[in-house]
Amino acid sequence: MPASLRGGGPAADMSGCGWWCLAGHDPGGRRFAGLPEGPLLVRGTLALGLDPETRAESGAVLLDLATALPWAERLTIARMAGGGFALGHRVGTGWHAARLGPRRPGPAAALRLIWTWDAPARLGRLTAEEPATGRLRQVETAGAMPVGLAVLAPLLTGGALPPGLDWIALSDRVEPVGPRPGLPPATRLRTPEGPVPIAAIRPGMRVLTRDAGYRPVLWQGAAALPLAGSDRPVRLCAPFLGLEQDLVVAPDLRILLGGPTAEYLFGVDEVLVAARHLVDGQRAVVEEPSAPLLHQILLDRHHAIQASGLWVESLCVGTLAGVPDLLPATVLADLPAALVPRHGAAVRRTLRPFEAAALLAAGGPVRARPAA
């Protein structure tokens, strides 16, 4: 396997402007911020949000972009048998390909497919993420080439997305994959010294957890996330859940909720609900597509932490520690592998979409009890 592309931290190549194009089925789903100069992206990231409702057969083409000027170039991405993917990139007589193997058996799930290339390093990476399960599949390849802006033009000039895609995003730098931060930088975490913005939290500081009191922080970091289509940010509108002011979070951030309704429906007094499943158009609403810089902290276990008065989850890394080859591509790139914990089950049961809908229909969620 070639040397790994780094996806986060100061050792990563973070030159460029980052996410500069977002496209989705939603209105206003295109954003441009400082388009790269010149005809080539020597490094970058192309992210695709795949629609789980689209049942594409093996060989179905997800993306097929081609141009003859200023040179012949073609980029294709196709589904393969068993949930695998194949990518081909041709520039003149040059050819670069990546093939990602099938997924483990299980129900169909929303997917993010991410292709990252670094032409100076001659490295490419194709990654499939399952946000609901935390599963991550990845293959790295040698021989990646620069990508011409001309071949990407159909993604920049409007028009309908290809069938099977929910959104597309482009960045002109190497972006991290895997576990995603979910909180804005001003979110206040409770520490023994009082509330501290999450962006100011440093390793070794202690934050309040739901079950274990104050626990030391192993890592704090951030990433700019492409949030478009069905993955747009979610605004929790005060005074919903006791908030004093609105809080905009990543849609997959899980929030700890409790109360008699949760206990009646699910037999437990507290549950985790992804922010996307709280959207009702009034108390929780979907925001415009954006690529916000979001933060998160890593603790010894998956914990519920108090954030701006709410109990929300800390970063969950699952069994990532057992696959050290994947770590350099994630936001944890600069955390020594020996310090990455193994997280078992989530701190509470996570409601599935229809269960969250039942909770809303039965009178709505109630925030978990405030800290003593």
Side-chain angles (χ1 to χ4, degrees), residues 21-372:
C21 175
L22 301 174
H25 294 291
D26 47 285
R30 294 185 182 274
R31 293 291 182 270
F32 302 90
L35 296 181
E37 297 180 0
L40 290 171
L41 291 177
V42 297
R43 57 179 59 85
T45 302
L46 172 64
L48 311 178
L50 275 61
D51 183 354
E53 301 301 322
T54 300
R55 303 284 180 169
E57 297 182 1
S58 175
V61 175
L62 290 170
L63 199 64
D64 188 2
L65 305 173
T67 184
L69 296 173
W71 52 76
E73 184 171 1
R74 187 169 189 174
L75 173 64
T76 59
I77 300 177
R79 291 180 183 263
M80 304 304 291
F85 296 92
L87 177 144
H89 182 215
R90 183 182 297 279
V91 181
T93 59
W95 174 254
H96 176 246
R99 186 179 293 266
L100 192 62
R103 68 186 295 270
R104 285 183 284 174
L111 279 174
R112 289 189 285 261
L113 188 65
I114 302 169
W115 178 44
T116 298
W117 66 95
D118 186 339
R122 301 288 289 169
L123 295 176
R125 181 179 67 216
L126 188 62
T127 307
E129 301 176 351
E130 292 186 15
T133 64
R135 292 176 181 173
L136 191 68
R137 289 178 287 147
Q138 187 176 103
V139 61
E140 292 193 348
T141 57
M145 300 177 291
V147 178
L149 287 180
V151 80
L152 298 173
L155 304 183
L156 311 179
T157 55
L161 292 181
L165 295 185
D166 179 46
W167 55 265
I168 295 176
L170 284 167
S171 172
D172 64 345
R173 63 189 185 189
V174 172
E175 301 285 357
V177 300
R180 302 179 117 202
L183 293 166
T187 306
R188 302 180 309 279
L189 303 189
R190 185 166 168 181
T191 75
E193 291 74 34
V196 175
I198 190 171
I201 295 290
R202 296 294 179 263
M205 295 177 66
R206 294 186 299 150
V207 299
L208 183 64
T209 69
R210 182 69 166 160
D211 302 322
Y214 290 97
R215 301 297 300 165
V217 172
L218 302 179
W219 169 92
Q220 187 274 127
L225 303 183
L227 300 178
S230 62
D231 283 340
R232 284 178 289 169
V234 173
R235 178 179 294 274
L236 304 174
C237 303
F240 185 42
L241 301 177
L243 286 168
E244 295 181 358
Q245 59 185 25
D246 291 2
L247 185 64
V248 179
V249 300
D252 292 314
L253 181 78
R254 292 178 289 186
I255 299 163
L256 187 68
L257 302 174
T261 303
E263 188 168 8
Y264 174 76
L265 290 175
F266 310 113
V268 292
D269 59 355
E270 292 177 341
V271 293
L272 288 171
V273 181
R276 67 168 73 246
H277 300 318
L278 294 175
V279 171
D280 61 4
Q282 295 180 325
R283 299 172 298 175
V285 298
V286 174
E287 292 280 277
E288 286 293 305
S290 62
L293 186 68
L294 298 177
H295 291 250
Q296 192 50 284
I297 61 169
L298 178 69
L299 302 175
D300 58 338
R301 293 189 291 114
H302 186 231
H303 284 281
I305 57 175
Q306 194 174 70
S308 293
L310 284 181
W311 291 106
V312 305
E313 66 173 332
S314 62
L315 189 70
C316 183
V317 296
T319 59
L320 187 61
V323 195
D325 287 347
L326 294 180
L327 287 173
T330 73
V331 292
L332 302 176
D334 289 296
L335 183 66
L339 298 183
V340 179
R342 287 178 178 264
H343 289 162
V347 67
R348 295 291 190 278
R349 174 184 171 184
T350 300
L351 296 191
R352 291 169 287 185
F354 71 89
E355 293 174 321
L359 181 63
L360 286 171
V366 178
R367 68 171 175 167
R369 300 185 309 276

